[in-house]
Amino acid sequence: MTSPSTRLLNSNATESTTQAKSGGCGCDSTTSTTVERDEKLQERIAKHPCYSEDAHHHYARMHVAVAPACNIQCNYCNRKYDCANESRPGVVSELLTPEQAAHKALVIGGKIPQMTVVGIAGPGDPLANPEKTFRTFELIAEQAPDIKLCLSTNGLMLPDYIDRIKQLNIDHVTITINMVDPEIGAKIYPWVHYRRKRYKGLEGAKILHERQMEGLQALKDADILCKVNSVMIPGINDQHLVEVNRVIREKGAFLHNIMPLISAPEHGTHFGLTGQRGPTPKELKEVQDNCSGNMKMMRHCRQCRADAVGLLGEDRSQEFSKEKFLEMTPEYDMEQRATVHEGIEKFKEELKVAKDKALAGKKIANSPKVLVAVATKGGGLVNQHFGHAKEFQIYEVGGDEVRFVSHRKIDQYCQGGYGEEASFEHIMKAIADCKAVLVSKIGNCPQEKLQEAGIKTVEAYDVIEKVALEFYEQYVKELGN
């Protein structure tokens, strides 16, 4: 798998570093056990783009929309169909049968061999549609055993299906937990439908909370990795999320994903129609930082559609509409897929060497941290034209560190001569707190506008960390002058 990215890194990879392996080093058995456990955990998430920030640069996922029914009502949710231009949870263009979903997975697994995960996330709740959900997983597991299976649920029925989930080797489960205090939950969930009865307000929130905690504990006992999603709703649960984080960490969650509320009026949700705002990027980052202590935070979530296809940050679902993929014959070749994955892993090793080289010896004392916006098509590289970007990845850069902190969606600047002014205003709002934009290319007009706003532009085609640090060194130097 030779690509411009690989060729770019070959010169760096020749200067590989050798790390000494410990053997008879005097480490106690507890440390050895911890290291072994961590290595096994890394193996489990290495090719899952949602559970691994590193993997999301290289591996793709797909969601299959087989679960239309839901058993709770969320004030931020409105399940919608045939909404090709909306990108948010609960939205799909087409519902599938389990057989159609399995066929689609095989088609896409052949067309996009770096696709490693098939998830069911709706548009309702997978465990409110257990027969369709588990039949889909059975069919995929039989025909594509190298694909990871994943489901996302509100947790209400999770305790009832732990054994079935374990039996099907579904190794990754996401629960959306927005509260551990039912008083707060009552402001988020109007009703819960449980055991053939509808419970409203506080009573429903109590049931949901108890079942979520029971399910979370059951996942831990079954050794199934759990990611918890939390929707940050300013004025309702934003301050409460630190407590949510503490509780889920104690109960064994592996990863916490705090997402911003999406509440535009045109989406038709209760919060959207009543004017409940979502958090600003600064507010979101502050809460994520406050919760990042002893638990890994997911900061690369794209709040995907329930029929999303491709790398995180891209959506190729329209390439595989029902009328298209049903006419395609699957060309699912596990050997060819394995070869592609080997190439990706080799490139990742080369990329790591290049990152380590860029960071080696870097230390600028008492230097302020700044944010930079990166235009990237993936691969851990600055490799996208400013005008083609539909999102920026945001990195925090300090004297000896470059750290991914978030992504921000934007309106694409290049509109064929129409709408550039409006899209640029939207871009400026998204990156106003950044000191630089790192791009492969940028036109004179947007470059001048960014410069007027005090944002530098850096043109490069290289490893993100390397480009960011080179900018930062020059930035600190100019600060001192």
Side-chain angles (χ1 to χ4, degrees):
M1 192 174 90
T2 304
S3 68
S5 303
T6 307
R7 290 196 297 272
L8 172 71
L9 295 172
N10 280 343
S11 59
N12 291 329
T14 58
E15 299 183 34
S16 62
T17 57
T18 304
Q19 294 184 347
K21 305 243 177 165
S22 62
C25 62
C27 296
D28 61 34
S29 59
T30 302
T31 303
S32 299
T33 302
T34 302
V35 170
E36 182 180 352
R37 185 171 62 244
D38 288 347
E39 288 177 352
K40 288 181 178 178
L41 180 59
Q42 289 305 313
E43 287 177 12
R44 292 170 70 178
I45 68 171
K47 295 183 181 180
H48 197 308
C50 300
Y51 280 63
S52 167
E53 192 269 316
D54 180 51
H56 104 276
H57 294 293
H58 309 281
Y59 290 103
R61 85 314 186 206
M62 66 174 290
H63 292 165
V64 288
V66 298
C70 198
N71 46 18
I72 70 173
Q73 179 60 53
C74 308
N75 280 331
Y76 53 75
C77 183
N78 179 23
R79 297 187 302 284
K80 296 175 73 174
Y81 303 91
D82 198 23
C83 301
N85 295 320
E86 287 189 35
S87 183
R88 60 187 176 86
V91 173
V92 298
S93 291
E94 301 162 322
L95 284 173
L96 305 178
T97 66
E99 290 72 21
Q100 290 170 338
H103 180 82
K104 183 177 182 179
L106 292 174
V107 166
I108 292 175
K111 298 283 187 184
I112 309 176
Q114 65 270 38
M115 190 273 286
T116 54
V117 175
V118 172
I120 300 178
D125 189 88
L127 300 183
N129 305 259
E131 293 181 5
K132 294 176 182 178
T133 293
F134 293 127
R135 179 58 182 157
T136 302
F137 283 140
E138 284 175 352
L139 291 169
I140 295 172
E142 288 171 6
Q143 301 171 77
D146 63 326
I147 286 181
K148 287 182 176 294
L149 304 177
C150 188
L151 71 81
S152 297
T153 176
N154 57 46
L156 182 64
M157 298 309 298
L158 180 58
D160 292 6
Y161 294 107
I162 292 293
D163 291 342
R164 189 78 179 102
I165 290 169
K166 186 73 173 177
Q167 181 186 25
L168 282 167
N169 198 31
I170 299 169
D171 197 35
H172 300 71
V173 172
T174 295
I175 314 176
T176 298
I177 300 177
N178 297 315
M179 55 83 195
V180 292
D181 178 352
E183 294 280 356
I184 292 175
K187 300 175 183 178
I188 303 172
Y189 306 105
W191 55 258
V192 168
H193 192 270
Y194 180 63
R195 306 292 189 212
R196 300 184 180 183
K197 184 177 178 181
R198 181 172 292 194
Y199 298 87
K200 296 182 178 180
L202 184 61
E203 188 178 15
K206 284 180 178 178
I207 292 171
L208 180 60
H209 168 61
E210 290 168 2
R211 296 287 286 176
Q212 287 178 335
M213 295 301 101
E214 185 181 347
L216 185 54
Q217 184 64 50
L219 289 174
K220 180 183 178 182
D221 294 342
D223 191 29
I224 297 169
L225 290 179
C226 179
K227 172 168 70 72
V228 169
N229 285 350
S230 298
V231 179
M232 179 179 167
I233 311 164
I236 293 180
N237 74 343
D238 47 348
Q239 302 301 313
H240 179 57
L241 287 176
V242 173
E243 177 66 8
V244 173
N245 179 265
R246 183 189 66 78
V247 171
I248 64 172
R249 183 175 67 239
E250 290 176 354
K251 289 190 174 291
F254 162 70
L255 187 66
H256 195 187
N257 173 27
I258 299 176
M259 310 177 294
L261 171 70
I262 300 174
S263 61
E266 60 267 25
H267 295 157
T269 67
H270 173 77
F271 280 152
L273 295 174
T274 56
Q276 171 63 54
R277 73 174 181 90
T280 66
K282 183 178 179 181
E283 289 171 334
L284 179 65
K285 182 178 182 297
E286 184 177 349
V287 170
Q288 289 173 333
D289 288 346
N290 288 340
C291 292
S292 64
N294 296 320
M295 186 175 189
K296 188 171 178 60
M297 297 296 299
M298 179 183 181
R299 298 176 188 256
H300 60 280
C301 175
R302 301 308 199 273
Q303 294 177 274
C304 305
R305 294 164 54 99
D307 58 3
V309 174
L311 293 169
L312 268 66
E314 73 173 1
D315 183 11
R316 298 176 60 179
S317 59
Q318 294 307 302
E319 295 177 38
F320 301 99
S321 63
K322 190 186 296 187
E323 67 173 18
K324 292 177 182 176
F325 78 74
L326 287 178
E327 296 298 318
M328 300 178 186
T329 301
E331 297 177 358
Y332 195 87
D333 186 333
M334 286 183 58
E335 288 188 9
Q336 190 249 350
R337 283 172 50 82
T339 299
V340 170
H341 295 182
E342 287 171 9
I344 291 173
E345 291 303 309
K346 181 181 178 183
F347 174 68
K348 285 172 63 180
E349 285 298 316
E350 295 169 353
L351 189 66
K352 182 178 184 305
V353 170
K355 288 180 180 179
D356 290 345
K357 183 181 176 184
L359 291 166
K362 300 290 184 184
K363 185 68 179 176
I364 304 175
N366 302 318
S367 53
K369 292 182 178 180
V370 301
L371 299 180
V372 299
V374 181
T376 176
K377 294 183 287 186
L381 304 172
V382 180
N383 59 4
Q384 190 172 39
H385 192 292
F386 176 86
H388 299 163
K390 294 181 180 179
E391 71 166 31
F392 285 115
Q393 292 190 9
I394 308 300
Y395 283 76
E396 187 176 68
V397 192
D400 60 351
E401 181 184 34
V402 180
R403 185 172 68 100
F404 174 86
V405 294
S406 68
H407 70 92
R408 297 177 189 172
K409 293 180 181 179
I410 58 168
D411 294 335
Q412 185 175 336
Y413 179 72
C414 287
Q415 303 280 345
Y418 300 94
E420 273 89 353
E421 284 297 324
S423 61
F424 188 81
E425 287 182 19
H426 184 261
I427 291 169
M428 277 305 305
K429 287 181 181 178
I431 63 171
D433 56 347
C434 295
K435 298 298 182 183
V437 178
L438 316 183
V439 298
S440 62
K441 282 288 182 183
I442 185 170
N444 290 333
C445 183
Q447 186 173 18
E448 289 171 3
K449 289 180 179 179
L450 287 166
Q451 189 172 349
E452 290 171 5
I455 300 175
K456 285 189 173 292
T457 54
V458 179
E459 289 185 329
Y461 190 108
D462 211 328
V463 177
I464 291 171
E465 286 80 358
K466 181 173 181 286
V467 180
L469 283 169
E470 287 174 351
F471 155 74
Y472 187 75
E473 287 177 349
Q474 184 62 35
Y475 170 80
V476 172
K477 199 177 291 182
E478 290 175 2
L479 275 183
N481 292 338

